Amino acid sequence: MIIVIKKDSDEKQLKRLIDWVKGLGLEVNLSHGDNSTLLGLVGDTSLVDTDLVRSVEIVEKVQRIQEPYKAANRKFHPQDTVIDVGGHLIGGNNFQLIAGPCSVESEEQIIGVAKAVKAAGATILRGGAFKPRTSPYAFQGLKGEGISLLLEAKRETGMPIITEIMSVRHLDMFEDVDIIQVGARNMQNFELLRELGRLRKPVFLKRGLANTVEEWLMSAEYIMSEGNTEVILCERGIRTFEPYTRNTLDLSAVPLVKEKTHLPVFVDPSHASGLSRLVSPLSLAAVGAGADGLIIEVHNDPEHALCDGAQSLRPEQFAELVKKIEVMLPLVGKKGEKQ
Ligand code: PEP
Ligand code: MN
């Protein structure tokens, strides 16, 4: 971290600042130039409150050199993290497809969709049991019963399952869930993140609606700092000024985040666009951008879906898309399970 000191600053105030920084256990390299004085801070600067330093009268600006995340940082862990979910590898040069309905609605629906997406090439089944809906009057999910139905679909098809957790109070119900999803709205629910960090189970961390890449990586850090290193990131679109799509898919985040972290990065083109006809082109673009996998909403009867029908593919549309993805994978040095 570099602190730039204002010109002609009071020496006593400078000494006080240096003593304070040293008191935090950091070394300070002082360099006096013609026009400015710089303090170079060496050591673990992750505990330094940059806003507090910036508020000191003699400080002109503060610049972090080191990122504030460590466990998630590729600098300290150059190899890609590869996570084994029921024999399906996530990360590295592997590519995985997660598919299923937005919400679990009935036994017939979840098992029917599970079989269809598996036949098309999906390896992991998604389905919401606890649904974070904007309106309290909208369908809130089948909750515990939804998880039981997902487990039944898992037994029927052999597919591992992923479902969203909304509260630490529900953790017991997630015992047999293979991947726990933290939705966009809970990306900064730090209490929940810490609790999931104490598990030994993969966590699928969606990017918040209006969160920066650094905030997203700091949320991954919350989970990892508690010991759970199996975190999968998911870009699902961010909120912008554009109303034609539900969100704006920030595809540049994919190669950028993969530069910054060793964790796998997925893309959710369904929530990003909100429109089923955009799901296929955005999926292919995500593969091109280097995503480690996709999570796609598929419903057997989108017109009557209890949630997110407008963005759901029919099983046959999903199957068509998978064929295109398989053609693209070798171009980006990835392999799906069929290759
Ligand atoms: C979901 O995947 O069902 C979901 C609610 O996604 P997000 O948290 O990205 O809105
Ligand atoms: Mn949804």
Side-chain angles (χ1 to χ4, degrees), residues 102 131 271 297 308 311:
C102 176
K131 293 305 303 173
H271 291 89
E297 286 187 344
D308 288 350
Q311 65 193 35

Side-chain angles (χ1 to χ4, degrees), residues 101-103 126 131 206 246 268 270-271 297 307-308 311:
C102 176
S103 312
R126 68 150 286 150
K131 293 305 303 173
K206 290 190 139 191
R246 184 172 177 183
D268 175 345
S270 311
H271 291 89
E297 286 187 344
C307 185
D308 288 350
Q311 65 193 35

Side-chain angles (χ1 to χ4, degrees), residues 183-185 187 205-212 216 233-240 242 245-254 265-274 282 286 295 311:
R185 289 150 193 87
M187 189 204 86
L205 180 63
K206 290 190 139 191
R207 181 178 180 180
L209 274 70
N211 285 108
T212 64
W216 188 17
L233 299 166
C234 179
E235 162 60 45
R236 46 78 72 205
I238 48 173
R239 185 163 283 188
T240 68
E242 178 52 65
T245 47
R246 184 172 177 183
N247 291 288
T248 297
L249 179 57
D250 180 10
L251 264 190
S252 57
V254 177
V265 181
F266 273 54
V267 168
D268 175 345
S270 311
H271 291 89
S273 64
L282 293 183
I295 181 167
Q311 65 193 35

